[in-house]
Amino acid sequence: MVYPVIIPYLQADYDLSLTIAGLLVTVLWFFAAIGQLPGGILADRYDERALMTVSTVVVAAALGLVVTSSSPVILFFATAIWGLGHSLYPIARITLLSELYSERLGSALGVTMATGDIGQTVLPPIAGAFAAVIAWQIGLGFVAPLLVLAGLSVLATSSSDVSAEGATKTRSIRETLHVVTELRNPAMGFMTVILFLYMFIWQSFTAFYPTYLTTVKGLSSQLAGVLFGFFFAVGVVVKPVAGVAYDRIGMRRSLIGILTPAAAGFLLLPALNGVWLLGGITALISTMLGTGAVTQSFLADSFSDERQGAGLGVIRTLTASLAAGGPVLFGVVGDHGYFDEGYVVLAVIMAVVIALTVWMPEEN
């Protein structure tokens, strides 16, 4: 989430249009998506702690390549490696948590995702300040050593017993591929479409929100970074609440409650100006951050233990790779001066997601 804050600096240094800058974010999310199926299979077969550590180290190395890139070609290549490294982490985290907290997965996942939002609250404003005062390379590069330390901490402090148990769950790739039979449930099909549309909205919004705040709403880059961080700060509260709601009242009601304020926020955003009003709209939109705790818990609970990682990998790869087109499409919209209309379209798509949630068949 530091990337959107430094996009204006990348545009200046590499002479990128909004469309090309959007393509850069699309490359990041696309490669982060296509690696999740093999990442899920590996999470079923091997130590999740090792996968998470490898992920953080690869991402740190890719960031080093990004900040030293001498051309757009190298920048795009490094961004692709960054995405592939990232793809190893999410499913390994979910399968490890599902083993540790099998009866309270929604709550555990909500809390874990909320701690991520603390980083996403703090780091974008710091990156924006470094980029404005020193250089964008410092604004992005300072995260790399922190990632390495975090990855080594995961390896050193997580329970090896649980990971070893997860490593013996699946013995056959052919057996893993049988996960397709578990995708025939109509409720699973609805959830896959819901997840795709949500990720399309989320990736489109986060890719250009700081740019929108500076170019359309007239805020400084530092203030835009603060508001972007505030978006995730609200998520620190929303995600644990969403996880608890999933555990207590189920997927349908919790998801509708999370997405309705976000749809209203997208609709109101083009019409309102001023820092305080934009802060309120940002808070409304950020309620959608609770979606992950609900949808990921639902999907994890829907697969058998033996195929949980592969099942999540299939769905996340399919939905996220298709949704990765969102940033480049939104960049085209911005290049043609239709940012405001783009947010209205996001509101309509969010309304469709809410409708699908209402119509979704009862889960088995």
Side-chain angles (χ1 to χ4, degrees):
M1 288 301 104
V2 169
Y3 228 15
V5 174
I6 65 169
I7 275 182
Y9 300 94
L10 296 177
Q11 287 183 269
D13 275 14
Y14 295 99
D15 193 25
L16 307 179
S17 66
L18 284 173
T19 301
I20 301 302
L23 182 60
L24 186 65
V25 179
T26 287
V27 165
L28 174 62
W29 287 119
F30 178 76
F31 281 91
I34 62 174
Q36 292 201 34
L37 176 54
I41 294 174
L42 291 172
D44 279 340
R45 298 172 63 83
Y46 300 108
D47 187 342
E48 288 103 329
R49 300 176 311 139
L51 289 174
M52 294 162 73
T53 302
V54 168
S55 174
T56 58
V57 171
V58 171
V59 170
L63 289 180
L65 190 55
V66 168
V67 300
T68 58
S69 61
S70 56
S71 70
V73 173
I74 297 176
L75 179 67
F76 273 82
F77 172 76
T79 299
I81 299 300
W82 175 359
L84 285 174
H86 169 83
S87 68
L88 294 175
Y89 193 95
I91 295 177
R93 173 197 59 185
I94 295 171
T95 58
L96 184 61
L97 285 173
S98 70
E99 293 157 11
L100 288 168
Y101 305 101
S102 58
E103 299 301 320
R104 303 187 305 277
L105 178 58
S107 301
L109 196 54
V111 170
T112 306
M113 288 181 164
T115 62
D117 277 344
I118 294 174
Q120 293 179 140
T121 300
V122 174
L123 295 182
I126 294 176
F130 279 149
V133 175
I134 307 175
W136 69 262
Q137 289 88 345
I138 303 298
L140 183 60
F142 85 98
V143 182
L146 302 179
L147 276 170
V148 175
L149 288 175
L152 294 176
S153 298
V154 167
L155 191 62
T157 61
S158 299
S159 169
S160 59
D161 293 338
V162 173
S163 295
E165 179 184 342
T168 62
K169 287 188 297 187
T170 303
R171 297 294 183 188
S172 165
I173 293 293
R174 180 178 297 178
E175 182 184 354
T176 300
L177 295 178
H178 288 167
V179 71
V180 211
T181 62
E182 301 190 38
L183 299 178
R184 296 175 182 172
N185 186 335
M188 191 76 75
F190 266 76
M191 181 55 72
T192 301
V193 175
I194 287 169
L195 188 59
F196 157 65
L197 292 175
Y198 166 74
M199 294 183 77
F200 180 90
I201 294 169
W202 184 82
Q203 292 179 15
S204 300
F205 172 73
T206 55
F208 287 110
Y209 193 46
T211 302
Y212 173 76
L213 291 175
T214 56
T215 59
V216 177
K217 298 300 185 180
L219 303 185
S220 67
S221 59
Q222 291 91 338
L223 195 51
V226 170
L227 272 182
F228 192 53
F230 177 62
F231 172 75
F232 295 102
V234 178
V236 175
V237 177
V238 170
K239 287 183 177 180
V241 172
V244 172
Y246 170 81
D247 287 336
R248 293 187 177 180
I249 65 174
M251 180 278 300
R252 192 188 309 274
R253 286 188 289 172
S254 55
L255 198 56
I256 292 171
I258 289 164
L259 296 180
T260 302
F266 281 128
L267 195 60
L268 292 171
L269 179 60
L272 299 178
N273 293 286
V275 174
W276 294 107
L277 287 175
L278 290 172
I281 293 299
T282 301
L284 276 179
I285 295 173
S286 64
T287 61
M288 74 177 181
L289 290 173
T291 303
V294 176
T295 57
Q296 304 303 314
S297 299
F298 175 86
L299 291 171
D301 287 339
S302 299
F303 288 108
S304 62
D305 290 343
E306 295 79 9
R307 298 163 185 162
Q308 189 178 71
L312 286 167
V314 168
I315 290 181
R316 287 176 64 101
T317 295
L318 176 65
T319 56
S321 59
L322 292 174
V328 68
L329 290 176
F330 215 69
V332 172
V333 168
D335 266 337
H336 288 81
Y338 294 109
F339 259 140
D340 285 338
E341 290 80 359
Y343 286 112
V344 174
V345 172
L346 293 186
V348 172
I349 297 174
M350 189 67 83
V352 171
V353 173
I354 295 169
L356 288 173
T357 305
V358 172
W359 296 332
M360 183 174 174
E362 291 294 330
E363 56 266 36
N364 292 336

